[in-house]
Amino acid sequence: MTEKINFIASQRNHSPAPTIPAVIEAPTGFVADTLARPLQDLRISLTDRCNFRCVYCMPEESFGKDHVFLPRKSLLTFEEITRIAKIFVAHGVQKIRLTGGEPLLRKHVENLIQMLAQLKTPGGRDIELTLTTNGSLLAKKAQALKNAGLARVTVSLDSLDDDTFKRMNGVDFPVSDVLHGLDAAHAAGLGPIKVNMVVKGGMNDQEIVPMARHFKDTPFILRFIEFMDAGSSNDWKMDEVVPSAEVVRRIAAEMPLERIASTLKSETAERWRYQDGSGEIGVISSVTKSFCHECVRARLSTEGMLYTCLFASGGHDLRTLIRNGNTDEEIASVVAQIWRARADRYSELRSSFMNGAEQPQKKIEMSYIGG
Ligand code: SAM
Ligand code: SF4
Ligand code: SF4
């Protein structure tokens, strides 16, 4: 096993379980952090495993056959996930996204969806339950996901060109199978379906306009994501980031676009529509235009660590609290305490890190924390 592999595994160190506050308080449906950002959105990673080896996420050099994935017993069970999710919903979470790794690799994922779909906000509304997938298993699973109560899916697809896509996914997976998955998801009613393309300069940026052309005038909303410095193994370089402004410029040069307002303040994508009325695209400028000031998102790792930022170097061990027999009220008080202390704004500070300011220690991998 190489040093690098050991390093990735060791990032999952557990800090001691959080301390239960002296005063236990019942959730009120609202808790805000030090920058007045409410807790509204929860991403849950269902597995750290994936059948792809995307160059920007789980490159083969770091996630090869010797890589040690989490043992089964350390994964949260569906009951544990649902219990934690319920606590977050009581604090004001309205939207839950299942992710990973590849979430459709988790066995019987539809049973979990069925359990989460029962959750209601304190006001009695359904929560918005969605899932992000690489699409490889979607053709097989779309209908079962819908039947279980999943509202929508987001599908990742980085190119329509097989050679480019295979180079990016690292496992020779063909484009056509993802397109079949998209069609199956649409037929099952898992819409509106978003398609996420991570743009890595020099690798797939020539695919920006063909992807836009392909998805224009279809039910699918294409979104371009800037290549991020997530984790510590994707060899990120600023000069491989294609700024969203450049993505919009290239598309608009052929298919004129106009800006439209976002529906939600916390929406990460900037929306643009084709002037001829044939649909919209989104751009997510995680690097060039940070949106930390509106970030209302918490992340729960596969083994029950709570992270308050995608770029965090440490998490808070909720699994130990659950397995030690703490009550829902105690765990809810811990979550409130953690959220109230939150001050994360990595993306806003990135440029100062790039200019030599001290960075957080090693960042956690996206496949572990959930993208
Ligand atoms: N396996 C699923 C998938 O690929 O859709 C879900 C997990 S994946 C980590 C979630 C999202 O993160 C995907 O859309 C992926 O493209 C994106 N992602 C992963 N690494 C990234 C990076 N370094 N920069 C930008 N986006 C990234
Ligand atoms: Fe797997 Fe998704 Fe990461 Fe690609 S982006 S390696 S599909 S977890
Ligand atoms: Fe949120 Fe952290 Fe991303 Fe800023 S860097 S938007 S705080 S996840």
Side-chain angles (χ1 to χ4, degrees):
M1 201 181 292
T2 69
E3 219 171 292
K4 192 161 191 182
I5 291 162
N6 277 327
F7 165 66
I8 291 171
S10 74
Q11 285 185 81
R12 308 184 195 119
N13 304 342
H14 290 181
S15 33
T19 315
I20 309 292
V23 179
I24 301 301
E25 35 169 347
T28 60
F30 180 84
V31 57
D33 70 8
T34 60
L35 301 172
R37 298 169 296 188
L39 172 54
Q40 290 181 339
D41 196 326
L42 179 64
R43 295 205 164 185
I44 304 176
S45 173
L46 299 187
T47 173
D48 60 333
R49 292 165 198 259
C50 188
N51 52 345
F52 282 16
R53 287 292 175 272
C54 299
V55 288
Y56 49 75
C57 179
M58 296 179 76
E60 181 65 31
E61 309 84 70
S62 304
F63 292 86
K65 58 179 176 1
D66 291 335
H67 179 71
V68 182
F69 289 97
L70 293 170
R72 181 180 291 265
K73 68 174 176 10
S74 75
L75 271 53
L76 291 181
T77 64
F78 289 170
E79 287 71 23
E80 289 170 334
I81 292 174
T82 307
R83 192 173 155 205
I84 293 178
K86 194 171 170 194
I87 290 168
F88 276 81
V89 169
H91 274 311
V93 161
Q94 299 157 8
K95 183 170 163 189
I96 295 181
R97 179 175 296 279
L98 304 178
T99 177
E102 173 46 44
L104 297 186
L105 288 182
R106 183 80 188 248
K107 273 207 189 102
H108 309 300
V109 62
E110 53 287 351
N111 295 352
L112 173 67
I113 290 169
Q114 216 160 24
M115 292 157 78
L116 293 174
Q118 313 295 321
L119 297 178
K120 301 274 183 223
T121 67
R125 291 203 323 273
D126 289 341
I127 53 146
E128 197 185 331
L129 187 57
T130 69
L131 177 146
T132 303
T133 172
N134 62 25
S136 58
L137 299 168
L138 203 48
K140 223 187 298 172
K141 298 207 168 189
Q143 193 59 53
L145 298 174
K146 177 69 184 177
N147 294 349
L150 189 70
R152 298 192 284 108
V153 286
T154 295
V155 179
S156 303
L157 177 63
D158 297 326
S159 174
L160 290 167
D161 171 67
D162 249 336
D163 290 342
T164 309
F165 186 52
K166 288 178 177 178
R167 212 166 36 247
M168 284 189 87
N169 66 46
V171 293
D172 268 352
F173 199 85
V175 173
S176 56
D177 287 16
V178 180
L179 295 178
H180 286 140
L182 273 172
D183 289 341
H186 177 60
L190 286 168
I193 298 171
K194 291 172 182 156
V195 177
N196 279 353
M197 170 180 175
V198 176
V199 182
K200 187 166 183 234
M203 186 154 250
N204 67 337
D205 61 310
Q206 73 288 356
E207 284 287 290
I208 293 170
V209 174
M211 284 279 284
R213 206 178 284 122
H214 180 87
F215 287 107
K216 185 172 183 274
D217 223 356
T218 69
F220 308 110
I221 302 168
L222 179 60
R223 304 185 320 163
F224 298 88
I225 305 180
E226 289 176 349
F227 172 39
M228 279 189 280
D229 48 339
S232 309
S233 60
N234 67 6
D235 196 23
W236 182 85
K237 294 181 194 70
M238 185 65 202
D239 60 11
E240 289 174 343
V241 176
V242 180
S244 293
E246 170 65 10
V247 170
V248 170
R249 193 195 61 72
R250 288 197 206 174
I251 298 170
E254 298 198 20
M255 297 165 275
L257 288 167
E258 61 196 10
R259 181 76 197 272
I260 45 177
S262 299
T263 36
L264 281 178
K265 189 165 163 261
S266 60
E267 198 170 350
T268 50
E270 194 179 272
R271 297 169 66 195
W272 293 78
R273 78 174 153 226
Y274 294 106
Q275 283 180 13
D276 66 6
S278 56
E280 68 174 86
I281 60 156
V283 289
I284 302 180
S285 316
S286 329
V287 178
T288 60
K289 217 191 257 179
S290 70
F291 33 79
C292 297
H293 55 292
E294 282 161 4
C295 180
V296 294
R297 184 169 296 164
R299 292 180 156 83
L300 184 66
S301 81
T302 313
E303 50 181 350
M305 304 283 282
L306 167 61
Y307 289 86
T308 55
C309 177
L310 180 55
F311 298 94
S313 48
H316 307 269
D317 184 359
L318 301 186
R319 187 190 62 188
T320 296
L321 298 182
I322 288 214
R323 295 192 180 170
N324 280 353
N326 289 100
T327 64
D328 283 3
E329 292 69 28
E330 287 169 336
I331 298 170
S333 297
V334 165
V335 170
Q337 178 175 261
I338 291 167
W339 194 262
R340 285 197 191 108
R342 176 184 189 243
D344 303 281
R345 50 190 195 99
Y346 177 90
S347 284
E348 281 180 5
L349 301 174
R350 181 185 283 109
S351 52
S352 61
F353 298 144
M354 285 166 59
N355 290 328
E358 197 184 340
Q359 285 226 37
Q361 292 159 351
K362 290 296 175 188
K363 291 167 285 169
I364 209 80
E365 294 299 322
M366 201 141 160
S367 53
Y368 167 76
I369 196 176

